[in-house]
Amino acid sequence: MKIFGRRKSEPEAVDNAGSVAVERRYVPVKVKERMTGRRDKVVREAKEKIRVETEKIRAIPNNPESLDHFLEIGDYFGKRSEEIIGFKNKGGKVVGTFCEFVPKEIIHAAGAIPIQLSCGFSEAIQPANDLLSDAGLCPLMRSSLGTMMTGSSTYYEASDMMVNPTPCDAKLKMGEIIQDLVPVVTMNVPRIKDSFSARKQWIQEVWNLKERVEELVGKKISKKALRESIETYQAAQNAWRKFWDVRKRGNVIWGRQALLVSWLTYIDDIKRWTKNINKLNAELETRVKEKNFVCGDDTPRVMLAGSPIIWPNWKILNLIEESGAYIACDELCSGMRVLWDHTVVDEWTQKGMMDAIADKYFLPCTCPCFSPNLERETNMLRRIKEYKIDGVVFHVLKGCHLNSMDAAKTSVFLKKNDIPMLKIESEYDEGDREQLRIRIEAFLEIIQTRKEDLPF
Amino acid sequence: MGKFWQRISTPRLIAQFGWLVFANALLFGVPSFGTIAWTRNIYFPDATTKFLQNAPTYSIVYKLQDTLEGGFITYYMDLVIPLLIFVVLILLLGRFWCAWLCPLGLPQDLLTRLRRWLGWKRVELPPKWSVALHQMKYLGLFLVIFYTLSLGFPGLGLPGFRTSLAIPYEQLDPNRAMYVYPQIALGLLPPNTIVPILSLLTFGFFLMTCFPIRRFWCHICPAGAMMAPFNKYASIHLKKDNSKCTHCGICARVCPMEIRKVWTEREKENVTVSECVHCYRCVEECPEDGCLGVSVMGKVVLESKSPNSELTNTKEGVAT
Ligand code: SF4
Ligand code: SF4
Ligand code: SF4
Ligand code: SF4
Ligand code: SF4
């Protein structure tokens, strides 16, 4: 036991997992050039898609004014891109992230910009299909990979390093491929989390990330910087909880608007995001007072669960809400969960802060990659009660086995609690839209009838 | 969370100081108070305050070993009332004593505060270690009781120890070394009061361990061991609303007694375990509204709050 051994970087042995691409296995050296020809098409489609979806949101009657900022940032090729390019030209570093697991506090503390790369471009799937020759894999992963290979997103192009947690097979193997193109920090997510060793391993992974980020920016992350970064994120977390408090008190903002706001936590500058959501909160609060609601109480209230929904791939959200339901809450890692959990620091020492960060991203996480994942069950039941949910739509991206299997389990415990559930599987493209619409409408009818049948 | 005046740790610190200064040292330490008979009969569970000659807050651990000279019958009869008082207090308060009043708990908390202020990281006890330490305190208690009993039974032929080693725990108690000198300085004790060498050593051990490790002494304290078995059944206990818990592990991380049960529990409402010292750090830091709480006789007096809740007025303008 070292009682006075301090001031040492911690823990002593930082492994360098994922620091080297052993050999270029997947992507031929020339792949980038070969793929760049397809860039224009992907970019064109993506821009068009973002434009259409933005228009759709703008066209919703009674749009909150403060949403404008988010719609502006939602344009991947607009303001935020320019900012990032400007930042890079000034010598700043950009770190791309996948999944909810990456501790953005650390990247932020190093003075680098963390930016989420998980991708919603439907057109980018084709190039990835050509490489993998398997169309049955998770579209989120294929889209990210395709975007990466064709170089059609500024965020990907700007990333000096990518952080890739490995909760599922798709992400694990995608990390291996992109290692050929850019330095990657792989974070090993222990998938059975209720043991002491699992927590220790995850903390180690977070220290490892810190070391790699420090290497990238060329300076140590000071205690002060880390603390400031944590406090910045705490402010964002507070604002985010407030947002959900307001949503609980009245139907003041549609789910498709709320999910855009949540997704942008990963994209926008976190301080600016916090400022703007505080504005939005204030505006929504007055709406609650004025009883200026977007829909009545008789609207079926739906909870959206399952695979992440990534802007601008808003198909499912539009289908549900255009069919007359209100997405009152969700449990997506791209939705309510983005900033829900709090980084509570016990001791403001380097170690205390790192422990707090690691715990925050790991222990309360309800990602389906964990087993037995009772947290997800508790969380869903709690939200169902809090937001008076009438039915759950469980959305599974085709090829996402984790969510697909969790859906089966979920339907069982929801049945026990007498909550109807619909499982839908979808791809990124528009091919399944009509079929999905029919199923969703039928489901909504069921909950509507149930709602009217209730004895009170 | 919240500002310091919103934290339960603040009144706790004040209570600890208040008890030490007013109750122990000043009020009851003054000789005239000590002569009031009924105050002499209040026995508290702690292993302390023998150093206050007149103080009524007299330890039951000492009481066990104290009046051996009195012979078998008087000795054990003398124990009945103190033990009864003790049991009633425990059933009412549990180990509330430990975090709020114990004069040996306060210095441990202060050492932790000092270390934090210096920015030194703490030494973490691996779960196995803290469990082992928790068990060890029962061994300490067993030794105290065993020793007392064997001296008390005249047939065992150990009367010699009654004079040479009457109260061995007094020799070991870090309190002696910690408080006797200030007491002498304050004129509450005669200047020739002897501090046992062993006590100085244990006090050194106390400093060495409690500085890097939170509440290390409480892990092994025999007085704690006396209270521990009753803790769960006390009228004051920790309660948890399992439907609100996100299993974020924060309560386990902030707990000075390294208790993991509050975090891992998924079914029961009462999450008080025998090691819990009622410091309510977990309630203070749990980030979910109403997830953890302190219940006194079935009434919730303190609840965890979401860190944003001071910004929100949830009562206002409720829809539906
Ligand atoms: S569900 Fe889990 S693995 Fe999938 S994107 Fe979300 S955090 Fe990552
Ligand atoms: S959607 Fe499912 S398969 Fe795809 S990356 Fe996320 S967890 Fe993995
Ligand atoms: S366990 Fe700690 S607080 Fe409780 S009596 Fe013992 S020393 Fe005091
Ligand atoms: S701090 Fe609260 S929410 Fe977190 S594990 Fe403990 S009881 Fe559960
Ligand atoms: S369980 Fe809570 S109240 Fe009990 S000792 Fe631990 S932090 Fe304090």
Side-chain angles (χ1 to χ4, degrees), chain B residues 27-101:
Chain B
L27 274 184
F28 296 124
V30 177
S32 57
F33 275 95
T35 53
I36 304 170
W38 63 267
T39 59
R40 284 293 290 165
N41 282 327
I42 305 173
Y43 291 93
F44 280 96
D46 67 323
T48 59
T49 59
K50 173 67 180 170
F51 57 93
L52 291 163
Q53 293 300 323
N54 295 306
T57 57
Y58 191 58
S59 167
I60 191 106
V61 175
Y62 290 130
K63 183 67 195 167
L64 263 178
Q65 307 186 344
D66 209 5
T67 41
L68 292 171
E69 301 83 18
F72 182 72
I73 297 296
T74 25
Y75 176 44
Y76 287 105
M77 283 299 123
D78 261 10
L79 264 178
V80 172
I81 293 197
L83 272 179
L84 272 180
I85 295 177
F86 170 78
V87 168
V88 169
L89 274 179
I90 294 299
L91 286 179
L92 278 177
L93 294 177
R95 286 179 73 174
F96 185 80
W97 166 270
C98 284
W100 289 74
L101 305 171

Coordinates of all heavy atoms in Angstrom, one line a residue, chain B residues 27-101:
Chain B
L27 N -19.6 21.8 28.9 CA -20.8 21.7 29.8 C -20.6 20.6 30.8 O -20.5 20.9 32.0 CB -22.0 21.4 29.0 CG -22.8 22.6 28.4 CD1 -24.0 22.2 27.7 CD2 -23.1 23.6 29.6
F28 N -20.5 19.4 30.3 CA -20.5 18.3 31.3 C -19.1 18.1 31.8 O -18.9 17.4 32.8 CB -21.0 17.0 30.6 CG -22.4 17.1 30.2 CD1 -22.8 16.9 28.9 CD2 -23.4 17.4 31.2 CE1 -24.1 17.0 28.6 CE2 -24.7 17.5 30.9 CZ -25.1 17.3 29.5
G29 N -18.1 18.7 31.2 CA -16.8 18.6 31.7 C -16.5 19.4 32.9 O -15.7 19.1 33.7
V30 N -17.4 20.4 33.1 CA -17.3 21.2 34.3 C -17.7 20.4 35.5 O -18.7 19.8 35.5 CB -18.2 22.5 34.2 CG1 -18.1 23.3 35.4 CG2 -17.8 23.3 33.0
P31 N -16.8 20.4 36.5 CA -17.0 19.5 37.7 C -18.4 19.6 38.3 O -19.0 18.6 38.6 CB -16.0 20.0 38.7 CG -14.9 20.6 37.8 CD -15.6 21.2 36.6
S32 N -19.0 20.8 38.4 CA -20.3 20.8 39.0 C -21.4 20.0 38.3 O -22.3 19.5 38.9 CB -20.8 22.3 39.1 OG -20.8 22.9 37.8
F33 N -21.3 19.9 37.0 CA -22.2 19.1 36.2 C -22.0 17.6 36.5 O -22.9 16.9 36.6 CB -22.1 19.4 34.7 CG -22.9 20.5 34.3 CD1 -22.3 21.8 34.1 CD2 -24.2 20.4 34.0 CE1 -23.0 22.9 33.7 CE2 -25.0 21.5 33.5 CZ -24.4 22.7 33.4
G34 N -20.7 17.3 36.7 CA -20.4 15.9 36.9 C -20.9 15.4 38.1 O -21.1 14.2 38.3
T35 N -21.3 16.2 39.1 CA -21.8 15.7 40.3 C -23.2 15.4 40.3 O -23.8 14.8 41.2 CB -21.5 16.7 41.5 OG1 -22.0 18.0 41.1 CG2 -20.0 16.9 41.8
I36 N -23.9 15.9 39.2 CA -25.4 15.5 39.2 C -25.5 14.0 38.9 O -24.9 13.5 37.9 CB -26.0 16.3 38.0 CG1 -25.8 17.8 38.2 CG2 -27.5 16.0 38.0 CD1 -26.2 18.7 37.1
A37 N -26.2 13.3 39.7 CA -26.1 11.9 39.7 C -26.6 11.3 38.4 O -26.0 10.5 37.8 CB -26.9 11.3 40.9
W38 N -27.8 11.8 37.9 CA -28.4 11.2 36.7 C -27.5 11.3 35.5 O -27.6 10.5 34.6 CB -29.8 11.6 36.5 CG -30.0 13.1 36.2 CD1 -30.2 14.1 37.0 CD2 -29.9 13.7 34.9 NE1 -30.3 15.3 36.4 CE2 -30.1 15.0 35.1 CE3 -29.7 13.2 33.6 CZ2 -30.1 15.9 34.0 CZ3 -29.7 14.1 32.5 CH2 -29.9 15.4 32.7
T39 N -26.8 12.4 35.4 CA -26.0 12.6 34.2 C -24.8 11.6 34.2 O -24.3 11.2 33.1 CB -25.4 14.0 34.1 OG1 -24.6 14.2 35.3 CG2 -26.4 15.0 34.0
R40 N -24.5 11.1 35.4 CA -23.4 10.1 35.4 C -23.9 8.7 34.8 O -23.1 7.9 34.5 CB -23.0 9.8 36.9 CG -22.1 10.9 37.4 CD -20.8 10.9 36.8 NE -19.9 9.8 37.1 CZ -18.8 9.5 36.4 NH1 -18.5 10.2 35.4 NH2 -18.0 8.5 36.7
N41 N -25.2 8.6 34.7 CA -25.7 7.3 34.3 C -26.0 7.2 32.8 O -26.6 6.2 32.4 CB -27.0 7.0 35.1 CG -26.6 6.5 36.5 OD1 -25.6 5.9 36.7 ND2 -27.4 6.8 37.5
I42 N -25.7 8.2 32.1 CA -26.0 8.1 30.6 C -24.7 7.4 30.0 O -23.6 8.0 30.1 CB -26.2 9.5 30.0 CG1 -27.3 10.2 30.7 CG2 -26.5 9.3 28.5 CD1 -27.5 11.6 30.3
Y43 N -25.0 6.3 29.4 CA -23.9 5.6 28.8 C -24.0 5.6 27.3 O -25.0 5.2 26.7 CB -23.8 4.1 29.3 CG -23.4 4.1 30.7 CD1 -24.3 4.1 31.7 CD2 -22.1 4.1 31.1 CE1 -24.0 4.1 33.1 CE2 -21.7 4.1 32.4 CZ -22.6 4.1 33.4 OH -22.3 4.1 34.7
F44 N -23.0 6.2 26.7 CA -23.1 6.2 25.2 C -22.2 5.1 24.6 O -21.4 4.5 25.3 CB -22.5 7.6 24.8 CG -23.6 8.6 24.9 CD1 -23.7 9.5 26.0 CD2 -24.6 8.8 23.9 CE1 -24.7 10.4 26.1 CE2 -25.6 9.7 24.0 CZ -25.6 10.5 25.1
P45 N -22.5 4.8 23.4 CA -21.9 3.6 22.8 C -20.5 3.8 22.5 O -19.8 2.8 22.2 CB -22.8 3.4 21.6 CG -23.3 4.7 21.2 CD -23.5 5.4 22.5
D46 N -19.9 5.0 22.5 CA -18.6 5.2 21.9 C -17.5 4.6 22.8 O -17.7 4.3 24.0 CB -18.4 6.6 21.6 CG -18.3 7.4 22.9 OD1 -19.0 7.0 23.8 OD2 -17.4 8.3 23.0
A47 N -16.3 4.6 22.3 CA -15.2 4.1 23.0 C -14.4 5.2 23.5 O -13.2 5.2 23.6 CB -14.3 3.2 22.1
T48 N -15.1 6.3 23.9 CA -14.3 7.5 24.1 C -14.6 8.1 25.5 O -15.4 7.5 26.3 CB -14.7 8.6 23.1 OG1 -16.1 8.8 23.2 CG2 -14.3 8.1 21.7
T49 N -14.1 9.3 25.7 CA -14.6 10.2 26.8 C -14.2 9.7 28.2 O -14.7 10.3 29.1 CB -16.1 10.5 26.7 OG1 -16.8 9.3 26.8 CG2 -16.4 11.3 25.4
K50 N -13.5 8.7 28.3 CA -13.0 8.3 29.6 C -12.1 9.5 30.1 O -11.9 9.7 31.3 CB -12.2 7.0 29.5 CG -11.5 6.6 30.8 CD -12.5 6.2 31.9 CE -11.7 5.8 33.1 NZ -12.6 5.7 34.3
F51 N -11.5 10.1 29.1 CA -10.6 11.2 29.4 C -11.3 12.4 30.1 O -10.6 13.2 30.8 CB -9.9 11.7 28.2 CG -10.8 12.2 27.1 CD1 -11.2 13.5 27.0 CD2 -11.4 11.3 26.2 CE1 -12.1 13.9 26.0 CE2 -12.3 11.7 25.2 CZ -12.6 13.0 25.1
L52 N -12.6 12.5 30.0 CA -13.3 13.5 30.7 C -13.7 13.0 32.0 O -14.7 12.3 32.1 CB -14.5 14.0 29.9 CG -14.2 14.7 28.6 CD1 -15.4 14.7 27.7 CD2 -13.7 16.1 28.9
Q53 N -13.0 13.4 33.0 CA -13.3 12.7 34.3 C -14.7 12.9 34.7 O -15.3 12.0 35.3 CB -12.4 13.3 35.4 CG -10.9 13.0 35.2 CD -10.6 11.5 35.2 OE1 -11.2 10.8 35.9 NE2 -9.7 11.1 34.3
N54 N -15.3 14.0 34.5 CA -16.7 14.2 35.0 C -17.8 14.0 33.9 O -18.9 14.1 34.2 CB -16.8 15.7 35.5 CG -15.9 15.9 36.7 OD1 -16.0 15.1 37.6 ND2 -15.0 16.8 36.6
A55 N -17.3 13.8 32.7 CA -18.3 13.8 31.6 C -19.3 12.6 31.8 O -18.9 11.5 32.2 CB -17.6 13.7 30.3
P56 N -20.5 12.8 31.5 CA -21.5 11.7 31.6 C -21.5 10.8 30.4 O -22.0 9.7 30.4 CB -22.8 12.4 31.7 CG -22.6 13.7 30.9 CD -21.1 14.0 31.1
T57 N -21.0 11.4 29.3 CA -21.0 10.6 28.1 C -19.9 9.5 28.2 O -18.8 9.6 27.6 CB -20.7 11.5 26.9 OG1 -19.4 12.1 27.1 CG2 -21.8 12.5 26.7
Y58 N -20.2 8.5 28.9 CA -19.2 7.6 29.4 C -19.4 6.3 28.6 O -20.5 5.9 28.3 CB -19.5 7.4 30.9 CG -18.4 6.6 31.5 CD1 -17.1 7.1 31.5 CD2 -18.6 5.4 32.2 CE1 -16.1 6.4 32.2 CE2 -17.7 4.7 32.8 CZ -16.4 5.2 32.8 OH -15.4 4.5 33.4
S59 N -18.2 5.8 28.2 CA -18.3 4.7 27.2 C -18.7 3.4 27.8 O -18.3 3.0 28.9 CB -17.0 4.5 26.6 OG -17.0 3.3 25.9
I60 N -19.6 2.7 27.1 CA -20.0 1.4 27.5 C -18.9 0.4 27.5 O -18.8 -0.6 28.2 CB -21.3 1.0 26.7 CG1 -21.9 -0.3 27.3 CG2 -20.9 0.7 25.3 CD1 -23.2 0.1 28.0
V61 N -18.0 0.6 26.6 CA -16.8 -0.3 26.4 C -16.0 -0.2 27.7 O -15.6 -1.3 28.3 CB -16.0 0.1 25.2 CG1 -14.7 -0.8 25.2 CG2 -16.7 -0.1 24.0
Y62 N -15.8 1.0 28.2 CA -15.1 1.1 29.5 C -15.9 0.5 30.6 O -15.3 -0.2 31.5 CB -14.8 2.5 29.8 CG -13.7 3.1 28.9 CD1 -14.0 4.3 28.3 CD2 -12.5 2.5 28.7 CE1 -13.0 4.9 27.4 CE2 -11.6 3.0 27.8 CZ -11.8 4.2 27.2 OH -10.9 4.7 26.4
K63 N -17.1 0.7 30.6 CA -18.0 0.3 31.6 C -17.9 -1.3 31.8 O -17.9 -1.8 32.9 CB -19.5 0.6 31.3 CG -20.5 0.3 32.4 CD -20.2 1.1 33.7 CE -21.0 0.4 34.8 NZ -20.6 1.0 36.1
L64 N -17.7 -1.9 30.7 CA -17.5 -3.3 30.7 C -16.3 -3.7 31.5 O -16.3 -4.8 32.1 CB -17.4 -3.8 29.2 CG -18.6 -4.4 28.5 CD1 -18.2 -4.8 27.1 CD2 -19.2 -5.6 29.3
Q65 N -15.3 -2.9 31.5 CA -14.1 -3.3 32.1 C -13.8 -2.6 33.4 O -12.8 -2.8 34.0 CB -12.9 -3.0 31.1 CG -13.1 -3.6 29.8 CD -11.9 -3.5 28.9 OE1 -11.1 -2.7 29.1 NE2 -11.9 -4.3 27.8
D66 N -14.7 -1.7 33.7 CA -14.3 -0.6 34.7 C -14.3 -1.1 36.1 O -13.2 -1.1 36.8 CB -15.3 0.5 34.6 CG -14.6 1.8 35.0 OD1 -13.4 1.8 35.2 OD2 -15.3 2.8 35.0
T67 N -15.4 -1.5 36.6 CA -15.5 -1.7 38.1 C -15.3 -3.1 38.5 O -16.1 -3.6 39.3 CB -16.9 -1.2 38.6 OG1 -17.9 -1.6 37.6 CG2 -16.9 0.3 38.7
L68 N -14.3 -3.7 38.0 CA -14.0 -5.1 38.4 C -13.8 -5.3 39.8 O -14.1 -6.4 40.4 CB -12.8 -5.6 37.6 CG -13.1 -5.7 36.1 CD1 -11.8 -6.0 35.3 CD2 -14.1 -6.8 35.8
E69 N -13.3 -4.2 40.5 CA -13.0 -4.4 41.9 C -14.2 -4.7 42.7 O -14.2 -5.3 43.7 CB -12.4 -3.1 42.5 CG -11.1 -2.6 41.8 CD -11.4 -1.8 40.5 OE1 -12.6 -1.4 40.3 OE2 -10.5 -1.7 39.7
G70 N -15.4 -4.3 42.2 CA -16.6 -4.5 42.9 C -17.1 -5.9 43.2 O -18.0 -6.1 43.8
G71 N -16.4 -6.9 42.6 CA -16.8 -8.2 42.8 C -17.9 -8.6 41.8 O -18.5 -7.8 41.1
F72 N -18.1 -9.9 41.7 CA -18.9 -10.5 40.7 C -20.3 -9.9 40.6 O -20.7 -9.3 39.5 CB -19.0 -12.0 40.9 CG -19.8 -12.7 39.8 CD1 -19.3 -12.8 38.5 CD2 -21.1 -13.2 40.1 CE1 -20.0 -13.5 37.5 CE2 -21.8 -13.8 39.1 CZ -21.3 -14.0 37.8
I73 N -21.1 -10.0 41.7 CA -22.5 -9.6 41.6 C -22.7 -8.2 41.3 O -23.3 -7.8 40.3 CB -23.3 -10.0 42.9 CG1 -23.2 -11.5 43.1 CG2 -24.7 -9.5 42.8 CD1 -24.0 -12.3 42.1
T74 N -22.1 -7.3 42.1 CA -22.2 -5.9 41.9 C -21.8 -5.5 40.5 O -22.4 -4.7 39.8 CB -21.4 -5.1 42.9 OG1 -20.3 -5.9 43.3 CG2 -22.2 -4.6 44.0
Y75 N -20.7 -6.1 40.1 CA -20.2 -5.8 38.8 C -21.2 -6.0 37.7 O -21.5 -5.1 36.9 CB -18.9 -6.6 38.5 CG -18.3 -6.3 37.2 CD1 -18.3 -5.0 36.6 CD2 -17.9 -7.4 36.4 CE1 -17.8 -4.8 35.4 CE2 -17.4 -7.2 35.2 CZ -17.3 -5.9 34.7 OH -16.8 -5.7 33.4
Y76 N -21.7 -7.2 37.6 CA -22.6 -7.5 36.5 C -24.0 -6.8 36.7 O -24.6 -6.4 35.7 CB -22.8 -9.0 36.3 CG -21.5 -9.6 35.7 CD1 -20.6 -10.3 36.5 CD2 -21.2 -9.3 34.4 CE1 -19.4 -10.7 35.9 CE2 -20.0 -9.7 33.8 CZ -19.2 -10.5 34.6 OH -18.0 -10.9 34.0
M77 N -24.4 -6.6 37.9 CA -25.6 -5.9 38.2 C -25.5 -4.4 37.7 O -26.4 -3.9 37.1 CB -26.0 -5.9 39.6 CG -26.6 -7.2 40.1 SD -28.1 -7.6 39.2 CE -27.8 -9.1 38.4
D78 N -24.3 -3.9 37.9 CA -24.0 -2.5 37.5 C -24.2 -2.3 36.0 O -24.4 -1.2 35.5 CB -22.6 -2.1 37.9 CG -22.6 -1.3 39.2 OD1 -23.7 -1.3 39.8 OD2 -21.6 -0.8 39.6
L79 N -24.0 -3.4 35.3 CA -24.0 -3.3 33.8 C -25.4 -3.3 33.3 O -25.6 -2.8 32.1 CB -23.2 -4.5 33.3 CG -21.8 -4.3 32.9 CD1 -21.2 -5.6 32.4 CD2 -21.6 -3.2 31.8
V80 N -26.4 -3.7 34.1 CA -27.7 -3.9 33.5 C -28.3 -2.6 32.9 O -28.7 -2.5 31.8 CB -28.6 -4.6 34.5 CG1 -30.1 -4.6 34.0 CG2 -28.2 -6.0 34.8
I81 N -28.3 -1.6 33.8 CA -28.9 -0.4 33.4 C -28.2 0.3 32.2 O -28.8 0.6 31.2 CB -29.1 0.6 34.6 CG1 -30.1 -0.1 35.5 CG2 -29.6 2.0 34.1 CD1 -30.7 0.8 36.5
P82 N -26.9 0.4 32.3 CA -26.2 1.0 31.1 C -26.5 0.2 29.9 O -26.7 0.8 28.8 CB -24.7 0.8 31.5 CG -24.7 0.8 33.0 CD -26.0 0.2 33.4
L83 N -26.5 -1.1 29.9 CA -26.7 -1.9 28.7 C -28.1 -1.6 28.2 O -28.3 -1.5 27.0 CB -26.6 -3.4 29.0 CG -25.1 -3.9 28.8 CD1 -25.0 -5.4 29.1 CD2 -24.6 -3.6 27.4
L84 N -29.1 -1.5 29.1 CA -30.5 -1.2 28.7 C -30.6 0.1 28.0 O -31.1 0.3 26.9 CB -31.4 -1.2 29.9 CG -32.0 -2.6 30.2 CD1 -32.9 -2.5 31.4 CD2 -32.8 -3.2 29.0
I85 N -29.9 1.1 28.6 CA -30.0 2.5 28.0 C -29.3 2.4 26.6 O -29.8 3.0 25.6 CB -29.2 3.5 28.9 CG1 -29.9 3.6 30.2 CG2 -29.0 4.8 28.2 CD1 -29.2 4.6 31.2
F86 N -28.2 1.7 26.6 CA -27.5 1.6 25.3 C -28.3 0.9 24.2 O -28.4 1.5 23.1 CB -26.2 0.7 25.6 CG -25.5 0.3 24.4 CD1 -24.6 1.1 23.8 CD2 -25.6 -1.0 23.9 CE1 -23.9 0.7 22.7 CE2 -24.9 -1.4 22.8 CZ -24.1 -0.6 22.2
V87 N -29.0 -0.1 24.6 CA -29.8 -0.8 23.6 C -31.0 0.0 23.1 O -31.2 0.1 21.9 CB -30.3 -2.2 24.1 CG1 -31.4 -2.8 23.2 CG2 -29.2 -3.2 24.3
V88 N -31.6 0.7 24.0 CA -32.7 1.6 23.6 C -32.2 2.7 22.7 O -32.8 3.0 21.7 CB -33.4 2.2 24.9 CG1 -34.3 3.3 24.5 CG2 -34.1 1.1 25.6
L89 N -31.0 3.3 23.1 CA -30.5 4.3 22.2 C -30.2 3.8 20.8 O -30.4 4.5 19.8 CB -29.2 4.9 22.8 CG -29.4 6.0 23.9 CD1 -28.0 6.4 24.4 CD2 -30.1 7.2 23.2
I90 N -29.6 2.6 20.8 CA -29.2 2.1 19.5 C -30.5 1.8 18.6 O -30.5 2.1 17.4 CB -28.5 0.7 19.6 CG1 -27.1 1.0 20.3 CG2 -28.3 0.1 18.3 CD1 -26.3 1.9 19.5
L91 N -31.5 1.3 19.3 CA -32.7 1.0 18.5 C -33.4 2.2 18.0 O -34.1 2.3 17.0 CB -33.7 0.1 19.3 CG -33.2 -1.3 19.5 CD1 -34.2 -2.1 20.3 CD2 -33.0 -2.0 18.1
L92 N -33.2 3.3 18.7 CA -33.7 4.6 18.3 C -32.9 5.2 17.2 O -33.4 5.6 16.1 CB -33.8 5.6 19.4 CG -35.0 5.5 20.3 CD1 -34.9 6.5 21.5 CD2 -36.3 5.7 19.6
L93 N -31.6 5.2 17.4 CA -30.7 6.0 16.6 C -29.8 5.2 15.6 O -29.2 5.8 14.7 CB -29.8 6.9 17.4 CG -30.6 8.0 18.2 CD1 -29.6 8.8 19.0 CD2 -31.3 9.0 17.2
G94 N -29.7 4.0 15.9 CA -28.7 3.2 15.1 C -27.3 3.7 15.3 O -27.0 4.2 16.4
R95 N -26.5 3.7 14.3 CA -25.2 4.3 14.5 C -25.1 5.8 14.2 O -24.1 6.3 13.7 CB -24.2 3.5 13.6 CG -23.9 2.1 14.2 CD -22.9 1.4 13.3 NE -21.6 1.9 13.4 CZ -20.5 1.3 12.8 NH1 -20.7 0.2 12.1 NH2 -19.3 1.8 13.0
F96 N -26.2 6.4 14.3 CA -26.3 7.9 14.1 C -25.2 8.6 14.9 O -24.6 9.5 14.5 CB -27.6 8.4 14.6 CG -27.9 9.8 14.3 CD1 -28.2 10.3 13.0 CD2 -27.7 10.8 15.3 CE1 -28.5 11.6 12.8 CE2 -27.9 12.1 15.0 CZ -28.3 12.5 13.8
W97 N -24.9 8.0 16.1 CA -23.9 8.5 16.9 C -22.6 8.7 16.2 O -21.9 9.7 16.3 CB -23.6 7.5 18.1 CG -22.4 7.6 18.8 CD1 -21.2 7.1 18.5 CD2 -22.2 8.5 19.9 NE1 -20.2 7.5 19.4 CE2 -20.8 8.4 20.3 CE3 -23.0 9.3 20.7 CZ2 -20.2 9.1 21.3 CZ3 -22.4 10.0 21.7 CH2 -21.1 9.9 22.0
C98 N -22.2 7.7 15.4 CA -20.9 7.6 14.7 C -20.6 8.9 13.9 O -19.5 9.4 14.0 CB -20.8 6.4 13.9 SG -20.6 4.9 14.9
A99 N -21.5 9.2 13.0 CA -21.1 10.3 12.1 C -21.4 11.7 12.7 O -20.9 12.7 12.2 CB -21.8 10.1 10.8
W100 N -22.3 11.7 13.7 CA -22.7 13.0 14.1 C -22.2 13.5 15.5 O -22.1 14.6 15.7 CB -24.3 13.0 14.2 CG -24.9 13.0 12.8 CD1 -25.0 12.0 12.0 CD2 -25.5 14.1 12.2 NE1 -25.6 12.3 10.8 CE2 -25.9 13.7 10.9 CE3 -25.7 15.5 12.5 CZ2 -26.6 14.5 10.0 CZ3 -26.4 16.3 11.6 CH2 -26.8 15.8 10.3
L101 N -21.8 12.5 16.3 CA -21.5 12.9 17.7 C -20.1 12.3 18.1 O -19.4 13.0 18.9 CB -22.5 12.4 18.7 CG -24.0 12.9 18.4 CD1 -24.9 12.2 19.3 CD2 -24.1 14.4 18.5

